[in-house]
Amino acid sequence: FDGYQEILQQFDSSTHVGYLLDFVMKDEERHHQIFRDLIGSLERGGSADVGFAVPEVSPVPEADALRQKLGNFIRFERADRQELVELANDLRRQATDPLWLLLVEIMQRDTDKHLRILEFIHQTVRAADIKASRRRLRRRRRVRLF
């Protein structure tokens, strides 16, 4: 981490070195935050009540509407991915500045990451909603029995 900062001090973000290392630094900062959150979760026994912990998957309000919006985002990201593939192919054929191709490849990977996140949310919102519905149904059945 410190090594990146040392190099970044030598290169302005107007240079390709500084520009790209700034990307890496931001990713590294996010990675470090994720590790802090995971450690915080372990130290607190998985409880997100005390800051800096990874929250548990839980039901969300208006799950159906959220899943519909997520479906739209997923379709948008898939279309983006296809456009980026085509752009990368064009850049390879035109033999433009190799930095451009690298940036498009980074965006492709980010798009794949976005898709993975959105699909995860979509699946877990549905699963959490189903679990909550089953719990409500079991409670109603118990109430009727008494």
Side-chain angles (χ1 to χ4, degrees), residues 2 4 15 17 28 39 46 65 74 86 100 102 108 111 122-123 133 135:
D2 291 337
Y4 287 122
T15 67
V17 173
E28 286 299 322
I39 290 167
I74 289 168
E86 292 168 10
W100 290 21
L102 174 65
Q108 286 175 308
T111 299
H122 191 272
Q123 292 165 356
S133 295
R135 279 193 297 268

PDB file of all heavy atoms in Angstrom, residues 2 4 15 17 28 39 46 65 74 86 100 102 108 111 122-123 133 135:
ATOM      1  N   ASP A   2       1.867   1.263   0.884  1.00  0.00           N
ATOM      2  CA  ASP A   2       2.768   2.413   0.957  1.00  0.00           C
ATOM      3  C   ASP A   2       3.587   2.547  -0.318  1.00  0.00           C
ATOM      4  O   ASP A   2       3.882   3.656  -0.754  1.00  0.00           O
ATOM      5  CB  ASP A   2       3.714   2.292   2.163  1.00  0.00           C
ATOM      6  CG  ASP A   2       2.975   2.440   3.484  1.00  0.00           C
ATOM      7  OD1 ASP A   2       1.889   3.047   3.484  1.00  0.00           O
ATOM      8  OD2 ASP A   2       3.478   1.938   4.501  1.00  0.00           O
ATOM      9  N   TYR A   4       2.667   1.890  -3.345  1.00  0.00           N
ATOM     10  CA  TYR A   4       1.842   2.558  -4.354  1.00  0.00           C
ATOM     11  C   TYR A   4       1.837   4.068  -4.126  1.00  0.00           C
ATOM     12  O   TYR A   4       1.972   4.850  -5.051  1.00  0.00           O
ATOM     13  CB  TYR A   4       0.397   2.053  -4.312  1.00  0.00           C
ATOM     14  CG  TYR A   4       0.191   0.666  -4.853  1.00  0.00           C
ATOM     15  CD1 TYR A   4      -0.362  -0.319  -4.054  1.00  0.00           C
ATOM     16  CD2 TYR A   4       0.506   0.345  -6.170  1.00  0.00           C
ATOM     17  CE1 TYR A   4      -0.574  -1.597  -4.542  1.00  0.00           C
ATOM     18  CE2 TYR A   4       0.289  -0.932  -6.667  1.00  0.00           C
ATOM     19  CZ  TYR A   4      -0.257  -1.895  -5.851  1.00  0.00           C
ATOM     20  OH  TYR A   4      -0.463  -3.159  -6.343  1.00  0.00           O
ATOM     21  N   THR A  15      -0.344  11.635 -15.986  1.00  0.00           N
ATOM     22  CA  THR A  15       0.482  10.641 -16.677  1.00  0.00           C
ATOM     23  C   THR A  15      -0.244   9.302 -16.634  1.00  0.00           C
ATOM     24  O   THR A  15      -1.056   9.057 -15.739  1.00  0.00           O
ATOM     25  CB  THR A  15       1.862  10.476 -16.013  1.00  0.00           C
ATOM     26  OG1 THR A  15       1.672   9.889 -14.716  1.00  0.00           O
ATOM     27  CG2 THR A  15       2.583  11.807 -15.893  1.00  0.00           C
ATOM     28  N   VAL A  17       0.946   6.465 -15.817  1.00  0.00           N
ATOM     29  CA  VAL A  17       1.346   5.726 -14.617  1.00  0.00           C
ATOM     30  C   VAL A  17       0.508   6.184 -13.421  1.00  0.00           C
ATOM     31  O   VAL A  17      -0.078   5.376 -12.696  1.00  0.00           O
ATOM     32  CB  VAL A  17       2.854   5.900 -14.331  1.00  0.00           C
ATOM     33  CG1 VAL A  17       3.237   5.273 -12.997  1.00  0.00           C
ATOM     34  CG2 VAL A  17       3.679   5.307 -15.471  1.00  0.00           C
ATOM     35  N   GLU A  28      -7.482  -0.943  -3.757  1.00  0.00           N
ATOM     36  CA  GLU A  28      -6.808  -1.417  -2.551  1.00  0.00           C
ATOM     37  C   GLU A  28      -7.456  -0.835  -1.295  1.00  0.00           C
ATOM     38  O   GLU A  28      -7.635  -1.541  -0.303  1.00  0.00           O
ATOM     39  CB  GLU A  28      -5.314  -1.071  -2.583  1.00  0.00           C
ATOM     40  CG  GLU A  28      -4.513  -1.926  -3.533  1.00  0.00           C
ATOM     41  CD  GLU A  28      -4.543  -3.406  -3.180  1.00  0.00           C
ATOM     42  OE1 GLU A  28      -4.524  -3.749  -1.981  1.00  0.00           O
ATOM     43  OE2 GLU A  28      -4.587  -4.214  -4.115  1.00  0.00           O
ATOM     44  N   ILE A  39     -13.347  -8.511   9.551  1.00  0.00           N
ATOM     45  CA  ILE A  39     -12.745  -8.710  10.877  1.00  0.00           C
ATOM     46  C   ILE A  39     -13.695  -8.194  11.950  1.00  0.00           C
ATOM     47  O   ILE A  39     -13.897  -8.838  12.979  1.00  0.00           O
ATOM     48  CB  ILE A  39     -11.359  -8.037  10.958  1.00  0.00           C
ATOM     49  CG1 ILE A  39     -10.368  -8.812  10.080  1.00  0.00           C
ATOM     50  CG2 ILE A  39     -10.873  -7.945  12.399  1.00  0.00           C
ATOM     51  CD1 ILE A  39      -9.053  -8.091   9.831  1.00  0.00           C
ATOM     52  N   GLY A  46     -20.565 -11.720  14.183  1.00  0.00           N
ATOM     53  CA  GLY A  46     -21.463 -11.558  13.045  1.00  0.00           C
ATOM     54  C   GLY A  46     -22.507 -10.483  13.227  1.00  0.00           C
ATOM     55  O   GLY A  46     -23.330 -10.256  12.363  1.00  0.00           O
ATOM     56  N   ALA A  65     -40.693  -5.217  -5.747  1.00  0.00           N
ATOM     57  CA  ALA A  65     -40.335  -4.022  -6.518  1.00  0.00           C
ATOM     58  C   ALA A  65     -38.817  -3.921  -6.668  1.00  0.00           C
ATOM     59  O   ALA A  65     -38.316  -3.574  -7.744  1.00  0.00           O
ATOM     60  CB  ALA A  65     -40.893  -2.768  -5.845  1.00  0.00           C
ATOM     61  N   ILE A  74     -29.683  -5.547 -14.158  1.00  0.00           N
ATOM     62  CA  ILE A  74     -28.949  -6.698 -14.690  1.00  0.00           C
ATOM     63  C   ILE A  74     -28.995  -6.692 -16.213  1.00  0.00           C
ATOM     64  O   ILE A  74     -27.978  -6.899 -16.877  1.00  0.00           O
ATOM     65  CB  ILE A  74     -29.501  -8.016 -14.100  1.00  0.00           C
ATOM     66  CG1 ILE A  74     -29.106  -8.106 -12.619  1.00  0.00           C
ATOM     67  CG2 ILE A  74     -29.005  -9.223 -14.885  1.00  0.00           C
ATOM     68  CD1 ILE A  74     -29.829  -9.200 -11.846  1.00  0.00           C
ATOM     69  N   GLU A  86     -17.618  -5.355 -27.924  1.00  0.00           N
ATOM     70  CA  GLU A  86     -17.524  -4.827 -29.287  1.00  0.00           C
ATOM     71  C   GLU A  86     -16.516  -3.686 -29.376  1.00  0.00           C
ATOM     72  O   GLU A  86     -15.726  -3.606 -30.328  1.00  0.00           O
ATOM     73  CB  GLU A  86     -18.909  -4.370 -29.763  1.00  0.00           C
ATOM     74  CG  GLU A  86     -19.877  -5.533 -29.955  1.00  0.00           C
ATOM     75  CD  GLU A  86     -21.320  -5.098 -30.147  1.00  0.00           C
ATOM     76  OE1 GLU A  86     -21.569  -3.881 -30.327  1.00  0.00           O
ATOM     77  OE2 GLU A  86     -22.201  -5.981 -30.103  1.00  0.00           O
ATOM     78  N   TRP A 100      -6.086   2.692 -24.012  1.00  0.00           N
ATOM     79  CA  TRP A 100      -7.531   2.693 -24.244  1.00  0.00           C
ATOM     80  C   TRP A 100      -8.096   1.285 -24.092  1.00  0.00           C
ATOM     81  O   TRP A 100      -9.126   1.074 -23.466  1.00  0.00           O
ATOM     82  CB  TRP A 100      -7.856   3.238 -25.619  1.00  0.00           C
ATOM     83  CG  TRP A 100      -7.622   4.710 -25.782  1.00  0.00           C
ATOM     84  CD1 TRP A 100      -6.815   5.508 -25.033  1.00  0.00           C
ATOM     85  CD2 TRP A 100      -8.206   5.535 -26.764  1.00  0.00           C
ATOM     86  NE1 TRP A 100      -6.848   6.792 -25.509  1.00  0.00           N
ATOM     87  CE2 TRP A 100      -7.704   6.834 -26.573  1.00  0.00           C
ATOM     88  CE3 TRP A 100      -9.097   5.309 -27.808  1.00  0.00           C
ATOM     89  CZ2 TRP A 100      -8.073   7.905 -27.369  1.00  0.00           C
ATOM     90  CZ3 TRP A 100      -9.475   6.375 -28.611  1.00  0.00           C
ATOM     91  CH2 TRP A 100      -8.962   7.663 -28.385  1.00  0.00           C
ATOM     92  N   LEU A 102      -6.786  -1.203 -22.433  1.00  0.00           N
ATOM     93  CA  LEU A 102      -6.707  -1.580 -21.021  1.00  0.00           C
ATOM     94  C   LEU A 102      -7.900  -1.016 -20.247  1.00  0.00           C
ATOM     95  O   LEU A 102      -8.520  -1.720 -19.445  1.00  0.00           O
ATOM     96  CB  LEU A 102      -5.393  -1.102 -20.404  1.00  0.00           C
ATOM     97  CG  LEU A 102      -5.269  -1.329 -18.892  1.00  0.00           C
ATOM     98  CD1 LEU A 102      -5.257  -2.824 -18.569  1.00  0.00           C
ATOM     99  CD2 LEU A 102      -4.038  -0.638 -18.359  1.00  0.00           C
ATOM    100  N   GLN A 108     -14.845  -3.825 -18.552  1.00  0.00           N
ATOM    101  CA  GLN A 108     -15.473  -5.135 -18.731  1.00  0.00           C
ATOM    102  C   GLN A 108     -15.460  -5.913 -17.413  1.00  0.00           C
ATOM    103  O   GLN A 108     -16.466  -6.509 -17.024  1.00  0.00           O
ATOM    104  CB  GLN A 108     -14.741  -5.940 -19.808  1.00  0.00           C
ATOM    105  CG  GLN A 108     -14.999  -5.462 -21.220  1.00  0.00           C
ATOM    106  CD  GLN A 108     -14.141  -6.224 -22.232  1.00  0.00           C
ATOM    107  OE1 GLN A 108     -12.918  -6.311 -22.081  1.00  0.00           O
ATOM    108  NE2 GLN A 108     -14.783  -6.768 -23.245  1.00  0.00           N
ATOM    109  N   THR A 111     -17.877  -4.431 -15.020  1.00  0.00           N
ATOM    110  CA  THR A 111     -19.243  -4.795 -15.399  1.00  0.00           C
ATOM    111  C   THR A 111     -19.557  -6.214 -14.947  1.00  0.00           C
ATOM    112  O   THR A 111     -20.641  -6.483 -14.415  1.00  0.00           O
ATOM    113  CB  THR A 111     -19.440  -4.637 -16.923  1.00  0.00           C
ATOM    114  OG1 THR A 111     -19.225  -3.264 -17.266  1.00  0.00           O
ATOM    115  CG2 THR A 111     -20.837  -5.055 -17.348  1.00  0.00           C
ATOM    116  N   HIS A 122     -30.219  -9.902  -6.029  1.00  0.00           N
ATOM    117  CA  HIS A 122     -31.487 -10.393  -6.556  1.00  0.00           C
ATOM    118  C   HIS A 122     -31.842 -11.746  -5.935  1.00  0.00           C
ATOM    119  O   HIS A 122     -32.962 -11.965  -5.476  1.00  0.00           O
ATOM    120  CB  HIS A 122     -31.398 -10.499  -8.082  1.00  0.00           C
ATOM    121  CG  HIS A 122     -32.697 -10.739  -8.762  1.00  0.00           C
ATOM    122  ND1 HIS A 122     -33.195 -12.005  -8.963  1.00  0.00           N
ATOM    123  CD2 HIS A 122     -33.601  -9.881  -9.284  1.00  0.00           C
ATOM    124  CE1 HIS A 122     -34.349 -11.921  -9.587  1.00  0.00           C
ATOM    125  NE2 HIS A 122     -34.627 -10.641  -9.800  1.00  0.00           N
ATOM    126  N   GLN A 123     -30.869 -12.657  -5.903  1.00  0.00           N
ATOM    127  CA  GLN A 123     -31.107 -14.002  -5.352  1.00  0.00           C
ATOM    128  C   GLN A 123     -31.355 -13.962  -3.851  1.00  0.00           C
ATOM    129  O   GLN A 123     -32.256 -14.632  -3.342  1.00  0.00           O
ATOM    130  CB  GLN A 123     -29.912 -14.910  -5.645  1.00  0.00           C
ATOM    131  CG  GLN A 123     -29.753 -15.242  -7.108  1.00  0.00           C
ATOM    132  CD  GLN A 123     -28.379 -15.822  -7.428  1.00  0.00           C
ATOM    133  OE1 GLN A 123     -27.505 -15.916  -6.563  1.00  0.00           O
ATOM    134  NE2 GLN A 123     -28.177 -16.196  -8.674  1.00  0.00           N
ATOM    135  N   SER A 133     -41.610 -15.047   4.546  1.00  0.00           N
ATOM    136  CA  SER A 133     -42.994 -15.458   4.260  1.00  0.00           C
ATOM    137  C   SER A 133     -43.311 -16.784   4.930  1.00  0.00           C
ATOM    138  O   SER A 133     -44.394 -16.967   5.491  1.00  0.00           O
ATOM    139  CB  SER A 133     -43.224 -15.589   2.756  1.00  0.00           C
ATOM    140  OG  SER A 133     -43.095 -14.349   2.132  1.00  0.00           O
ATOM    141  N   ARG A 135     -41.887 -17.995   7.639  1.00  0.00           N
ATOM    142  CA  ARG A 135     -41.985 -17.761   9.088  1.00  0.00           C
ATOM    143  C   ARG A 135     -43.339 -17.172   9.452  1.00  0.00           C
ATOM    144  O   ARG A 135     -43.954 -17.582  10.431  1.00  0.00           O
ATOM    145  CB  ARG A 135     -40.857 -16.833   9.556  1.00  0.00           C
ATOM    146  CG  ARG A 135     -39.526 -17.535   9.779  1.00  0.00           C
ATOM    147  CD  ARG A 135     -38.553 -16.657  10.540  1.00  0.00           C
ATOM    148  NE  ARG A 135     -38.208 -15.440   9.825  1.00  0.00           N
ATOM    149  CZ  ARG A 135     -37.162 -15.313   9.002  1.00  0.00           C
ATOM    150  NH1 ARG A 135     -36.349 -16.321   8.814  1.00  0.00           N
ATOM    151  NH2 ARG A 135     -36.929 -14.167   8.394  1.00  0.00           N
TER     152      ARG A 135
END
